[in-house]
Amino acid sequence: MSFFLEFVRDPLTVGAVAPSSPALARVATAAVPGTGSPVVVELGPGTGSFTEAIQRRLAGRGRHIAVELNPRFAQQLAALYPAVDVVRADATDLVTELAQRGLHQADVVVSGLPWAAFTEDHQRDVLSAVVESLSPHGAFTTFAYVHARWAPPARRLLRSMQSRFEEVVISRTVWANLPPALVYYCRRPLREAGDRG
């Protein structure tokens, strides 16, 4: 209910009427390593669907930084997940937020951001921050709703990811989500690349 109320208050930053399902969370967080001490950044965690899955995969290892713009979601997340470093900031500030924590790069960035609600400039700026923040062998995951996959913002996002990563793989449809969704796995950022359309 709180998620729906936040959507009503600000649909352009919340972007969905319901949280992501556990099934989508499992697929979206599959890039989080099961070993070592990775630095994992979560963008737009909302009420914590992906946060919980990331915490389960990390099992007390590494660092988990969640960047959330919505003040109510950020406060709720900090209370629910004390092991997570919840940062109230815009995703475009990711490089600065990592630097303030003495971190130069992230191993994985998991995004729950509402890309379709972003302007072209904002999409570009967020992706630039992600690419700049990732290690050379890092991974970025995000998702899209199947019904909107061919809409101009979603197509623009895919083109932009393909121009910024060596590899972009699309998951099978996650039907156990409302609405059904798919996940993009982007690996090995191309630092010098820009958008090609």
Side-chain angles (χ1 to χ4, degrees):
M1 190 61 181
S2 67
F3 197 98
F4 178 74
L5 290 174
E6 293 305 317
F7 172 79
V8 171
R9 281 190 186 109
D10 195 352
L12 292 181
T13 59
V14 177
V17 296
S20 299
S21 71
L24 179 57
R26 281 193 300 275
V27 178
T29 61
V32 176
T35 59
S37 296
V39 175
V40 180
V41 172
E42 184 181 5
L43 301 178
T47 56
S49 298
F50 293 176
T51 311
E52 183 177 349
I54 292 168
Q55 282 290 286
R56 196 162 43 245
R57 286 188 68 83
L58 286 176
R61 299 173 294 107
R63 296 279 298 272
H64 180 180
I65 300 161
V67 180
E68 175 57 58
L69 189 59
N70 182 294
R72 285 168 288 274
F73 284 162
Q75 185 177 18
Q76 189 176 37
L77 278 172
L80 284 172
Y81 300 99
V84 178
D85 183 0
V86 179
V87 183
R88 190 174 164 229
D90 191 285
T92 56
D93 297 326
L94 180 54
V95 175
T96 301
E97 294 297 336
L98 286 175
Q100 287 176 353
R101 287 156 178 77
L103 300 168
H104 301 293
Q105 294 180 324
D107 298 296
V108 180
V109 176
V110 177
S111 170
L113 294 171
W115 297 100
F118 290 172
T119 64
E120 183 174 359
D121 288 347
H122 196 54
Q123 269 193 5
R124 184 189 62 241
D125 292 346
V126 172
L127 274 178
S128 293
V130 168
V131 168
E132 192 175 344
S133 300
L134 275 172
S135 69
H137 298 286
F140 168 63
T141 68
T142 191
F143 74 96
Y145 296 123
V146 171
H147 72 274
R149 183 178 174 191
W150 305 112
R155 293 171 67 184
R156 184 175 65 231
L157 175 65
L158 178 57
R159 284 195 307 270
S160 192
M161 290 188 297
Q162 288 170 334
S163 76
R164 291 169 180 269
F165 291 89
E166 244 181 66
E167 177 185 73
V168 178
V169 176
I170 304 172
S171 76
R172 293 181 178 180
T173 299
V174 180
W175 294 105
N177 192 72
L178 182 65
L182 46 83
V183 174
Y184 298 107
Y185 297 98
C186 308
R187 298 183 188 276
R188 297 182 298 281
L190 302 169
R191 296 247 188 298
E192 300 303 315
D195 287 346
R196 293 196 292 262

